[in-house]
Every structure is written in structure tokens, then in C-alpha cells.
Coordinates of all heavy atoms in Angstrom, one line a residue:
T1 N 4.7 4.0 19.5 CA 4.7 2.8 20.3 C 3.6 2.9 21.4 O 3.0 1.9 21.8 CB 6.1 2.5 20.9 OG1 6.5 3.7 21.5 CG2 7.1 2.2 19.8
G2 N 3.4 4.1 21.9 CA 2.4 4.3 22.9 C 1.0 4.4 22.4 O 0.1 4.5 23.2
G3 N 0.8 4.5 21.1 CA -0.5 4.5 20.5 C -0.9 5.8 20.0 O -2.0 5.9 19.4
R4 N -0.1 6.9 20.2 CA -0.5 8.2 19.6 C -0.5 8.1 18.1 O 0.4 7.6 17.5 CB 0.5 9.3 20.1 CG 0.1 10.7 19.7 CD 1.0 11.7 20.3 NE 0.7 13.0 19.9 CZ 1.3 14.1 20.4 NH1 2.3 14.0 21.3 NH2 0.9 15.3 20.0
T5 N -1.5 8.7 17.5 CA -1.6 8.6 16.1 C -1.5 10.0 15.4 O -1.8 11.1 16.1 CB -3.0 8.0 15.6 OG1 -4.1 8.8 16.2 CG2 -3.1 6.6 16.1
N6 N -1.2 10.0 14.1 CA -1.0 11.2 13.4 C -1.4 10.9 11.9 O -1.1 9.9 11.4 CB 0.4 11.8 13.4 CG 0.6 13.1 12.9 OD1 -0.3 14.0 13.1 ND2 1.7 13.4 12.2
Y7 N -2.1 11.9 11.3 CA -2.6 11.7 10.0 C -2.2 12.8 9.0 O -2.2 14.0 9.4 CB -4.1 11.5 10.0 CG -4.6 10.3 10.8 CD1 -4.9 10.5 12.2 CD2 -4.7 9.1 10.2 CE1 -5.3 9.4 12.9 CE2 -5.1 8.0 11.0 CZ -5.4 8.2 12.3 OH -5.9 7.1 13.1
A8 N -2.1 12.5 7.8 CA -2.0 13.5 6.7 C -3.3 14.3 6.7 O -4.4 13.7 6.9 CB -1.6 12.9 5.4
D9 N -3.2 15.6 6.4 CA -4.4 16.4 6.3 C -5.5 15.8 5.4 O -6.7 15.9 5.6 CB -4.1 17.8 6.0 CG -3.4 18.5 7.1 OD1 -3.5 18.1 8.2 OD2 -2.8 19.6 6.8
S10 N -5.0 15.2 4.3 CA -5.9 14.7 3.2 C -6.7 13.5 3.7 O -7.7 13.2 3.0 CB -5.1 14.3 2.0 OG -4.1 13.3 2.3
V11 N -6.3 12.8 4.8 CA -7.1 11.7 5.2 C -7.7 11.8 6.6 O -8.4 10.9 7.1 CB -6.2 10.4 5.1 CG1 -5.6 10.2 3.8 CG2 -5.1 10.4 6.2
K12 N -7.4 12.9 7.3 CA -8.0 13.1 8.6 C -9.5 13.0 8.6 O -10.2 13.5 7.8 CB -7.6 14.5 9.2 CG -6.2 14.5 9.7 CD -5.9 15.9 10.3 CE -4.4 16.0 10.8 NZ -4.1 17.4 11.2
G13 N -9.9 12.2 9.6 CA -11.4 12.0 9.8 C -11.9 10.9 8.9 O -13.1 10.5 9.1
R14 N -11.1 10.4 8.0 CA -11.6 9.3 7.1 C -10.8 8.0 7.4 O -11.4 6.9 7.2 CB -11.4 9.7 5.7 CG -12.2 10.9 5.3 CD -12.2 11.2 3.8 NE -10.8 11.4 3.3 CZ -10.2 10.7 2.3 NH1 -10.8 9.6 1.8 NH2 -9.0 11.0 1.9
F15 N -9.5 8.1 7.7 CA -8.7 6.9 7.9 C -8.4 6.8 9.4 O -8.3 7.7 10.1 CB -7.4 7.1 7.2 CG -7.5 7.0 5.7 CD1 -8.7 7.0 5.0 CD2 -6.3 6.9 4.9 CE1 -8.7 7.0 3.6 CE2 -6.3 6.8 3.5 CZ -7.6 6.8 2.9
T16 N -8.2 5.5 9.8 CA -7.9 5.2 11.2 C -6.8 4.1 11.2 O -7.0 3.0 10.7 CB -9.1 4.7 12.0 OG1 -10.1 5.7 12.0 CG2 -8.7 4.4 13.5
I17 N -5.7 4.4 11.9 CA -4.6 3.5 12.0 C -4.6 2.8 13.3 O -5.0 3.4 14.3 CB -3.2 4.2 11.8 CG1 -2.1 3.2 11.7 CG2 -3.0 5.2 12.8 CD1 -0.7 3.8 11.3
S18 N -4.3 1.5 13.4 CA -4.3 0.8 14.6 C -3.2 -0.3 14.6 O -2.8 -0.7 13.5 CB -5.7 0.2 14.9 OG -6.0 -0.8 13.9
R19 N -2.8 -0.8 15.7 CA -1.8 -1.8 15.8 C -2.1 -2.8 16.8 O -2.8 -2.5 17.8 CB -0.4 -1.1 16.1 CG -0.3 -0.5 17.4 CD 0.9 0.5 17.5 NE 2.1 -0.3 17.4 CZ 3.3 0.3 17.2 NH1 3.4 1.6 17.0 NH2 4.4 -0.4 17.2
D20 N -1.6 -4.0 16.6 CA -1.8 -5.1 17.6 C -0.4 -5.7 17.8 O 0.1 -6.5 17.1 CB -2.8 -6.1 17.1 CG -3.1 -7.2 18.2 OD1 -2.2 -7.5 19.1 OD2 -4.2 -7.7 18.2
N21 N 0.3 -5.2 18.9 CA 1.7 -5.6 19.1 C 1.8 -7.1 19.3 O 2.7 -7.8 18.9 CB 2.2 -4.8 20.3 CG 2.4 -3.4 20.0 OD1 2.4 -2.9 18.8 ND2 2.5 -2.6 21.0
A22 N 0.8 -7.7 20.0 CA 0.9 -9.1 20.3 C 0.8 -10.0 19.1 O 1.4 -11.0 19.0 CB -0.3 -9.5 21.3
K23 N 0.0 -9.5 18.1 CA -0.2 -10.2 16.8 C 0.8 -9.8 15.8 O 0.8 -10.3 14.7 CB -1.6 -10.1 16.3 CG -2.7 -10.7 17.2 CD -4.0 -10.6 16.6 CE -5.1 -11.3 17.5 NZ -6.5 -11.2 16.9
N24 N 1.6 -8.7 16.1 CA 2.5 -8.2 15.1 C 1.9 -7.8 13.8 O 2.3 -8.0 12.7 CB 3.6 -9.2 14.8 CG 5.0 -8.6 14.9 OD1 5.3 -7.7 15.6 ND2 5.9 -9.2 14.1
T25 N 0.8 -7.1 14.0 CA 0.0 -6.6 12.8 C -0.4 -5.1 13.0 O -0.4 -4.6 14.1 CB -1.2 -7.4 12.6 OG1 -2.1 -7.3 13.7 CG2 -0.9 -8.8 12.2
M26 N -0.7 -4.5 11.9 CA -1.1 -3.1 11.9 C -2.2 -3.0 10.8 O -2.2 -3.7 9.8 CB 0.0 -2.2 11.6 CG -0.3 -0.7 11.6 SD 1.1 0.4 11.4 CE 1.7 -0.1 9.7
N27 N -3.2 -2.2 11.1 CA -4.3 -2.0 10.1 C -4.5 -0.5 9.8 O -4.1 0.4 10.5 CB -5.6 -2.6 10.8 CG -5.5 -4.0 11.0 OD1 -5.3 -4.8 10.1 ND2 -5.7 -4.4 12.2
L28 N -5.2 -0.3 8.6 CA -5.6 1.0 8.2 C -7.0 0.9 7.8 O -7.3 0.3 6.7 CB -4.7 1.6 7.1 CG -5.0 3.0 6.7 CD1 -4.6 4.0 7.9 CD2 -4.2 3.4 5.5
Q29 N -7.9 1.4 8.5 CA -9.3 1.5 8.1 C -9.6 2.7 7.3 O -9.3 3.8 7.8 CB -10.2 1.5 9.4 CG -11.7 1.5 9.0 CD -12.2 0.3 8.3 OE1 -11.9 -0.8 8.7 NE2 -13.0 0.5 7.3
M30 N -10.0 2.6 6.1 CA -10.2 3.7 5.2 C -11.7 3.8 4.8 O -12.2 2.9 4.2 CB -9.4 3.5 3.9 CG -7.9 3.2 4.2 SD -6.9 3.2 2.7 CE -7.6 1.8 1.9
N31 N -12.3 4.9 5.2 CA -13.7 5.2 4.9 C -13.8 6.4 4.0 O -12.9 7.2 3.9 CB -14.4 5.4 6.2 CG -14.4 4.2 7.2 OD1 -14.4 3.1 6.7 ND2 -14.4 4.5 8.5
S32 N -15.0 6.5 3.4 CA -15.3 7.7 2.6 C -14.2 7.9 1.5 O -13.7 9.0 1.3 CB -15.4 8.9 3.4 OG -16.5 8.8 4.4
L33 N -13.8 6.8 0.9 CA -12.7 6.8 -0.1 C -13.0 7.7 -1.2 O -14.1 7.8 -1.7 CB -12.3 5.4 -0.5 CG -11.5 4.6 0.5 CD1 -11.6 3.1 0.2 CD2 -10.1 5.1 0.6
K34 N -11.9 8.4 -1.7 CA -12.0 9.3 -2.9 C -11.1 8.8 -4.0 O -10.1 8.1 -3.7 CB -11.6 10.7 -2.4 CG -12.3 11.3 -1.2 CD -11.8 12.6 -0.8 CE -12.5 13.2 0.4 NZ -12.0 14.5 0.8
P35 N -11.4 9.2 -5.2 CA -10.5 8.8 -6.3 C -9.0 9.2 -6.1 O -8.1 8.5 -6.5 CB -11.1 9.6 -7.5 CG -12.5 9.7 -7.2 CD -12.6 9.9 -5.7
E36 N -8.8 10.3 -5.4 CA -7.4 10.7 -5.1 C -6.7 9.9 -4.1 O -5.5 10.0 -3.8 CB -7.4 12.2 -4.7 CG -8.3 12.6 -3.6 CD -9.6 13.2 -4.1 OE1 -10.2 12.6 -5.1 OE2 -10.1 14.2 -3.5
D37 N -7.4 8.9 -3.5 CA -6.8 8.0 -2.5 C -6.2 6.8 -3.3 O -5.5 5.9 -2.7 CB -7.8 7.4 -1.5 CG -8.4 8.5 -0.6 OD1 -7.5 9.3 -0.1 OD2 -9.6 8.5 -0.3
T38 N -6.4 6.7 -4.6 CA -5.9 5.7 -5.4 C -4.4 5.7 -5.4 O -3.7 6.7 -5.7 CB -6.4 5.8 -6.9 OG1 -7.8 5.6 -6.9 CG2 -5.7 4.8 -7.8
A39 N -3.8 4.6 -5.0 CA -2.3 4.5 -4.8 C -2.0 3.1 -4.4 O -2.8 2.3 -4.1 CB -1.9 5.5 -3.8
V40 N -0.7 2.8 -4.4 CA -0.2 1.6 -3.7 C 0.2 2.0 -2.3 O 0.9 3.0 -2.1 CB 1.1 1.0 -4.5 CG1 1.6 -0.2 -3.8 CG2 0.7 0.7 -5.9
Y41 N -0.3 1.2 -1.4 CA -0.2 1.5 0.1 C 0.9 0.5 0.6 O 0.9 -0.7 0.4 CB -1.5 1.3 0.8 CG -2.4 2.5 0.5 CD1 -3.0 2.7 -0.7 CD2 -2.7 3.4 1.5 CE1 -3.8 3.8 -0.9 CE2 -3.5 4.5 1.3 CZ -4.1 4.7 0.1 OH -4.9 5.8 -0.2
Y42 N 1.8 1.1 1.4 CA 2.9 0.4 2.1 C 2.9 0.6 3.6 O 2.5 1.7 4.0 CB 4.2 0.8 1.5 CG 4.4 0.7 0.0 CD1 4.0 1.8 -0.8 CD2 5.0 -0.4 -0.6 CE1 4.1 1.7 -2.2 CE2 5.2 -0.4 -1.9 CZ 4.7 0.6 -2.7 OH 4.9 0.6 -4.1
C43 N 3.4 -0.4 4.3 CA 3.7 -0.1 5.7 C 5.2 -0.2 6.0 O 5.9 -0.9 5.2 CB 2.9 -1.1 6.6 SG 3.3 -2.9 6.3
N44 N 5.6 0.5 7.0 CA 7.0 0.5 7.4 C 7.1 1.2 8.7 O 6.1 1.7 9.3 CB 7.9 1.1 6.3 CG 9.3 0.5 6.2 OD1 10.0 0.4 7.2 ND2 9.6 0.1 5.0
T45 N 8.3 1.2 9.2 CA 8.6 2.0 10.4 C 8.5 3.5 10.1 O 8.6 3.9 9.0 CB 9.9 1.6 11.1 OG1 10.9 1.8 10.1 CG2 9.9 0.2 11.5

């Protein structure tokens, strides 16, 4: 809630998570994508 972020080792340095509390949205910027990133992505608490 305070904005501190944490990442799985496999995505560190490539993915960036962000949130906009006022708009009630959250984003995941994914760069340098690899075949092993193939998956269904979900958000939740």
C-alpha cells in the first residue's frame, strides 16, 4: 500500500509494477520478454 515493490527473481530488472489508487488500477510493464514468460497473468491482493 505504501508503494514498496517486490519481484520474482525471474523478472527482476525486466518487469515494473505500479498502482494508481485514485483510478483503482494497477499495471505491469513487461520488457525484454522471454518465451518462458508465456502464461496467463492475473491480478489479486
Side-chain angles (χ1 to χ4, degrees):
T1 53
R4 183 174 181 177
T5 58
N6 191 36
Y7 298 92
D9 288 343
S10 58
V11 306
K12 277 181 182 176
R14 301 188 298 120
F15 289 12
T16 302
I17 187 172
S18 61
R19 64 196 294 166
D20 186 330
N21 292 343
K23 295 182 178 180
N24 226 31
T25 58
M26 180 173 67
N27 296 304
L28 185 68
Q29 178 66 43
M30 307 187 297
N31 299 327
S32 302
L33 283 161
K34 303 176 181 180
E36 50 264 43
D37 295 319
T38 295
V40 180
Y41 285 71
Y42 304 86
C43 60
N44 212 306
T45 55

